[in-house]
Amino acid sequence: MEIKKQQFEERGKLIASQTSQKMGEMSYSVAADKWIIDHTEVSGNFRGEGVGEKLLEALVKEAREKQVEILPLCPFAASVFQKRVELQDVLKKK
């Protein structure tokens, strides 16, 4: 699986693909001090294979490197953050 990032000024997304077939994507908005995850979608053929989690892990890794917090408005991303304590260091503090 390959994950590529596309980011414009106020929007970004990560796209997972395998042999040029799109597996899924995660989109987010860029704010001053945070990235707001608003949507995660995995193609039907790849559901249940951990694609969404791999997308989130890639975004968390970059957030750590850039010292940016993440606000997960997407229900999928929010549920993964709840289950995986090791990712919670990048969660936006209220």
Side-chain angles (χ1 to χ4, degrees):
M1 175 185 328
E2 179 181 21
I3 297 177
K4 291 185 179 180
K5 180 181 172 196
Q6 296 178 348
Q7 186 169 322
F8 308 99
E9 289 183 26
E10 297 174 358
R11 302 278 309 149
K13 64 182 171 180
L14 297 175
I15 301 170
S17 61
Q18 187 174 50
T19 59
S20 73
Q21 185 176 15
K22 183 177 172 182
M23 301 171 76
E25 75 176 51
M26 176 175 284
S27 60
Y28 61 95
S29 300
V30 178
D33 63 341
K34 64 186 171 282
W35 293 338
I36 304 166
I37 301 173
D38 52 33
H39 185 70
T40 305
E41 183 174 338
V42 175
S43 299
N45 299 347
F46 300 103
R47 289 196 178 127
E49 294 186 22
V51 175
E53 285 196 39
K54 294 291 184 199
L55 289 166
L56 183 59
E57 289 167 359
L59 193 63
V60 166
K61 180 182 178 196
E62 187 162 348
R64 286 176 178 148
E65 291 169 1
K66 295 187 176 184
Q67 298 181 338
V68 175
E69 292 182 310
I70 294 177
L71 177 61
L73 297 184
C74 162
F76 170 79
S79 72
V80 174
F81 273 114
Q82 280 186 329
K83 294 175 195 170
R84 297 190 47 196
V85 177
E86 75 275 13
L87 302 178
Q88 294 177 5
D89 60 301
V90 298
L91 279 176
K92 176 70 178 159
K93 280 50 164 196
K94 295 187 180 196

